[in-house]
């Protein structure tokens, strides 16, 4: 039982130490993953800021060029504009918006027909939408580069009627700075943003008109915000959105990259890393959120191998320690049992000695006092044993004593106690004795068994035995009293046998 507890404790300790080792190794791996996450976040932030700065620089360049082009030469395929489009493929179109007050709408319509044809007129931003009457001013697109069929269809469309463009225009009119629209559907049909700013018109003679009449606008694909060839590690997610747009996964207006496939167990055991940063300042109010749910994939093969080897070494060490402890405990118990046996048993016959017999007799008396039953004490003394030692030697005498002890144990019950308390003296403790007759029968069988000859080497040896019986509590209440009564009756028996032998002679 103790060995099982020791081995169970070793197994429990091994599991605990293995778990601690796994936690330590996993923490090291997760610390490296966290550093990788921080580096990825910093690198991505710098790249996104650089991309936004590039877009704003292109818009400033185009706005400056448009301000200088007061004669409208940019409506042609100007090399500068074409170079911008080739160099920055994330820009799907460069466009020009003009603010037209309501009282000048007629002049604008005539100019639009004169430059593009009679089919062109002011209309809503969508194909089927009509111009909204009653506005104080309209913001139609005058032209767009590159001059493709899809961009020509933009001419005359009122940007004010497009919700995202209207917000950006309003922001520009109020603040005078560059404004980025919320994510919208670009004229080419793909999701993107519009970046616009006012164009200073130095030739304007209307000093009271403090708001710009002309605006430069870039249409930028949403996915172009990410660096070319950008890839995320497994389990990492990136969401880029306008600060006014929802950031929840699956919401419109959110550029989402990556996928979290972590299991419920991984979400329970491993931490989730997440960072959110603002981009672009007030002019381009974007926000990106980078998250990474850690999992088993972050613990590499090397870490698993180290943990397995460490776990095996711990298991082997604990197994050896447990086996050594159990073996040491077993040997100690064996030595204790051996010492106890030597202290309480006769070395020659293996029977109980005087100390053990007294102890058992005391316990037997205590039990008899509680149960009300009787016990018998048989005192045996061998007859004609001294001549055996004198004639055949002590070795033969010792062998005879061993054979006598074996015969006594065969006669008595298993629960009876047999002890050797002297050289040729034995005592037998019989518990739960119903009557004197029961003890007398045992004494008779003992005499018959002991008086049978003994074959020791080539010698045939015979001895006799005298038996005296004492009963508790009739013959005494103390151990010494019982032994004295049994010894006196034994001597009486011995004298009777001696007189019978003399009469026969």
């Amino acid at each position: 039982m103790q060995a099982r507890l020791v081995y169970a404790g070793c197994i429990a300790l091994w599991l605990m130490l293995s778990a601690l080792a796994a936690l330590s190794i996993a923490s090291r791996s997760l610390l490296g993953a966290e550093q990788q996450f921080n580096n990825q976040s910093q690198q991505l932030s710098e790249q996104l800021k650089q991309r936004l700065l590039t877009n704003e620089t292109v818009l400033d360049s185009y706005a400056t060029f448009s301000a200088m082009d007061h004669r409208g030469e940019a409506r042609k395929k100007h090399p500068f504009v074409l170079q911008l489009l080739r160099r920055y493929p994330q820009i799907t179109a460069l466009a020009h918006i003009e603010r037209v007050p309501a009282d000048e709408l007629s002049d604008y319509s005539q100019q639009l027909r004169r430059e593009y044809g009679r089919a062109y007129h002011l209309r809503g931003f969508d194909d089927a939408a009509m111009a909204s009457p009653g506005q104080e001013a309209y913001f139609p697109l005058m032209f767009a580069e590159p001059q493709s069929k899809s961009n020509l269809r933009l001419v005359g469309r009122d940007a004010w009627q497009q919700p995202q463009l209207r917000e950006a225009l309003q922001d520009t009119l109020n603040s005078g700075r560059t404004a980025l629209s919320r994510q919208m559907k670009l004229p080419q049909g793909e999701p993107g943003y519009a970046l616009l700013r006012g164009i200073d018109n130095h030739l304007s003679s209307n000093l009271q008109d403090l708001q710009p009449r002309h605006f430069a606008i870039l249409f930028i694909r949403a996915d172009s915000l990410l660096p070319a060839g950008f890839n995320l590690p497994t389990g990492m997610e990136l969401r880029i959105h306008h600060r006014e747009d929802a950031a929840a996964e699956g919401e419109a207006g959110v550029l989402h990259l990556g996928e979290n496939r972590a299991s419920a167990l991984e979400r329970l055991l491993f931490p989730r890393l997440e960072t959110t940063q603002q981009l672009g300042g007030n002019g381009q109010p974007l926000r990106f959120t980078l998250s990474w749910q850690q999992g088993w994939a972050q613990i590499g093969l090397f870490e698993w191998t180290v943990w397995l080897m460490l776990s095996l070494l711990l298991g082997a060490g604990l197994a050896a320690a447990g086996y050594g402890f159990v073996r040491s405990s077993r040997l100690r118990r064996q030595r204790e049992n051996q010492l106890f046996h030597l202290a309480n048993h006769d070395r020659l016959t293996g029977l109980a000695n005087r100390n053990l017999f007294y102890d058992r007799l005391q316990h037997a008396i205590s039990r008899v006092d509680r149960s009300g039953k009787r016990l018998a004490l048989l005192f045996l003394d061998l007859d004609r044993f001294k001549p055996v030692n004198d004639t055949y030697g002590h070795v033969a005498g010792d062998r005879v004593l061993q054979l006598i002890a074996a015969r006594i144990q065969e006669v008595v019950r298993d629960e009876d106690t047999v002890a050797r308390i002297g050289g040729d003296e034995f005592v037998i403790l019989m518990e739960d004795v119903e009557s004197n007759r029961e003890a007398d029968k045992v004494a008779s069988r003992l005499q018959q068994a002991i008086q049978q000859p003994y074959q020791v080497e080539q010698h045939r040896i015979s001895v006799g035995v005298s038996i005296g019986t004492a009963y508790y509590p009739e013959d005494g209440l103390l151990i010494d009293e019982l032994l004295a009564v049994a010894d006196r009756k034994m001597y009486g028996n011995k004298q009777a046998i001696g007189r019978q032998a003399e009469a026969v002679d």
Side-chain angles (χ1 to χ4, degrees):
M1 183 64 181
Q2 184 181 11
R4 292 181 181 179
L5 291 176
V6 170
Y7 290 137
C10 289
I11 293 175
L13 183 60
W14 173 71
L15 292 175
M16 183 180 67
L17 293 177
S18 297
L20 291 176
L23 181 61
S24 176
I25 294 175
S27 298
R28 178 180 177 275
S29 300
L30 295 179
L31 185 62
E34 183 177 0
Q35 184 177 1
Q36 179 186 359
F37 176 80
N38 293 333
N39 294 337
Q40 184 81 42
S41 174
Q42 182 178 2
Q43 180 182 3
L44 181 62
S45 175
E46 293 175 356
Q47 291 174 338
L48 288 173
K49 290 177 180 178
Q50 184 64 36
R51 182 59 57 92
L52 295 179
L53 180 61
T54 299
N55 293 338
E56 189 168 355
T57 302
V58 172
L59 179 63
D60 290 341
S61 300
Y62 180 65
T64 303
F65 173 76
S66 298
M68 296 173 59
D69 183 33
H70 58 275
R71 293 189 299 272
E73 294 179 356
R75 301 181 190 183
K76 302 176 183 179
K77 295 182 179 180
H78 197 284
F80 175 73
V81 178
L82 296 178
Q83 183 179 4
L84 287 177
L85 292 171
R86 284 196 300 268
R87 187 171 182 180
Y88 303 103
Q90 72 269 21
I91 301 173
T92 62
L94 292 165
H96 189 99
I97 296 177
E98 184 174 348
R99 182 172 61 86
V100 180
D103 56 358
E104 300 178 11
L105 185 58
S106 178
D107 295 339
Y108 166 76
S109 298
Q110 292 178 8
Q111 179 186 355
L112 194 62
R113 294 189 188 97
R114 185 170 56 252
E115 294 185 5
Y116 290 97
R118 298 181 61 85
Y120 284 85
H121 58 88
L122 181 66
R123 61 191 186 279
F125 198 81
D126 295 332
D127 291 333
M130 301 300 292
S132 175
Q135 296 181 193
E136 294 182 1
Y138 297 88
F139 295 82
L141 276 75
M142 296 301 296
F143 59 90
E145 289 286 354
Q147 293 181 1
S148 60
K149 291 182 179 181
S150 60
N151 286 342
L152 285 175
R153 288 196 296 269
L154 294 176
V155 176
R157 295 190 180 187
D158 186 10
W160 192 261
Q161 296 188 32
Q162 212 283 341
Q164 289 84 354
L165 290 178
R166 181 170 61 250
E167 290 182 10
L169 282 168
Q170 190 66 59
D171 188 13
T172 299
L173 290 172
N174 294 336
S175 63
R177 62 172 179 261
T178 300
L180 181 72
S181 71
R182 299 189 189 187
Q183 191 176 123
M184 55 180 287
K185 186 176 182 181
L186 298 181
Q188 291 77 13
E190 53 193 353
Y193 298 91
L195 183 64
L196 57 90
R197 57 159 291 179
I199 300 174
D200 295 332
N201 190 353
H202 301 289
L203 300 178
S204 176
S205 59
N206 186 2
L207 298 178
Q208 302 298 326
D209 190 1
L210 300 179
Q211 292 183 333
R213 290 184 59 89
H214 301 275
F215 302 86
I217 182 171
L218 301 182
F219 290 108
I220 310 165
R221 297 195 320 271
D223 58 1
S224 68
L225 295 176
L226 297 175
F230 179 76
N231 291 313
L232 291 174
T234 302
M236 190 177 293
E237 292 181 282
L238 172 65
R239 295 188 296 276
I240 302 177
H241 56 92
H242 196 280
R243 294 178 198 172
E244 302 299 329
D245 288 332
E249 182 178 350
E251 291 286 345
V254 178
L255 176 62
H256 181 262
L257 184 66
E259 185 178 3
N260 178 17
R261 298 182 178 178
S263 64
L265 181 61
E266 288 177 314
R267 288 193 292 270
L268 178 65
L269 297 179
F270 294 91
R272 176 182 175 86
L273 305 177
E274 184 169 314
T275 182
T276 300
Q277 296 188 27
Q278 310 290 344
L279 299 172
N282 294 325
Q284 301 185 72
L286 290 179
R287 177 187 291 115
F288 87 91
T289 301
L290 188 66
S291 62
W292 196 7
Q293 175 61 58
Q294 305 290 282
W296 304 113
Q298 276 63 62
I299 305 177
L301 179 61
F302 174 76
E303 286 77 10
W304 284 115
T305 303
V306 170
W307 175 79
L308 180 61
M309 296 299 296
L310 185 59
S311 180
L312 291 176
L313 289 175
L314 286 173
L318 289 174
Y323 174 76
F325 179 81
V326 171
R327 186 171 181 272
S328 176
S329 298
R330 184 181 294 113
L331 292 176
R332 185 177 65 253
R333 287 196 302 272
Q334 289 178 352
R335 287 194 298 270
E336 291 175 353
N337 294 336
Q338 184 178 11
L339 292 175
F340 178 83
H341 187 273
L342 291 176
N344 293 278
H345 291 79
D346 178 56
R347 294 187 178 184
L348 178 63
T349 61
L351 299 176
N353 61 10
R354 184 182 296 271
N355 293 331
L356 182 58
F357 178 78
Y358 275 35
D359 182 70
R360 291 186 179 180
L361 180 56
Q362 185 62 52
H363 283 84
I365 291 174
S366 300
R367 288 193 295 271
V368 168
D369 292 338
R370 291 193 300 269
S371 64
K373 296 184 178 180
R374 305 165 68 236
L375 61 82
L377 189 67
L378 279 68
F379 194 101
L380 286 72
D381 184 77
L382 299 180
D383 299 331
R384 303 185 304 278
F385 182 74
K386 187 176 182 304
V388 173
N389 285 330
D390 296 339
T391 303
Y392 304 106
H394 289 281
V395 174
D398 292 343
R399 180 56 184 161
V400 170
L401 290 174
Q402 291 174 345
L403 294 175
I404 290 173
R407 290 186 182 182
I408 293 174
Q409 288 181 311
E410 291 177 355
V411 172
V412 301
R413 301 171 301 182
D414 293 336
E415 61 269 22
D416 296 335
T417 299
V418 181
R420 182 189 178 206
I421 60 174
D424 57 353
E425 295 177 341
F426 299 86
V427 289
I428 302 173
L429 172 62
M430 296 180 60
E431 300 185 51
D432 299 333
V433 176
E434 298 293 339
S435 64
N436 296 355
R437 186 176 181 181
E438 184 177 352
D440 294 340
K441 289 182 177 180
V442 172
S444 177
R445 290 198 300 271
L446 285 172
Q447 283 182 332
Q448 294 179 3
I450 294 174
Q451 290 174 358
Q452 297 294 325
Y454 301 92
Q455 187 68 36
V456 180
E457 296 180 352
Q458 70 274 18
H459 308 292
R460 187 177 178 83
I461 303 173
S462 298
V463 295
V465 61
S466 299
I467 302 175
T469 306
Y471 297 94
Y472 179 88
E474 296 94 324
D475 295 327
L477 299 177
L478 301 177
I479 295 176
D480 293 336
E481 293 177 349
L482 292 173
L483 287 175
V485 172
D487 183 65
R488 187 168 58 252
K489 290 183 177 181
M490 180 272 299
Y491 274 106
N493 188 6
K494 186 182 290 290
Q495 292 174 0
I497 293 174
R499 288 192 297 267
Q500 291 178 0
E502 291 176 359
V504 172
D505 293 340

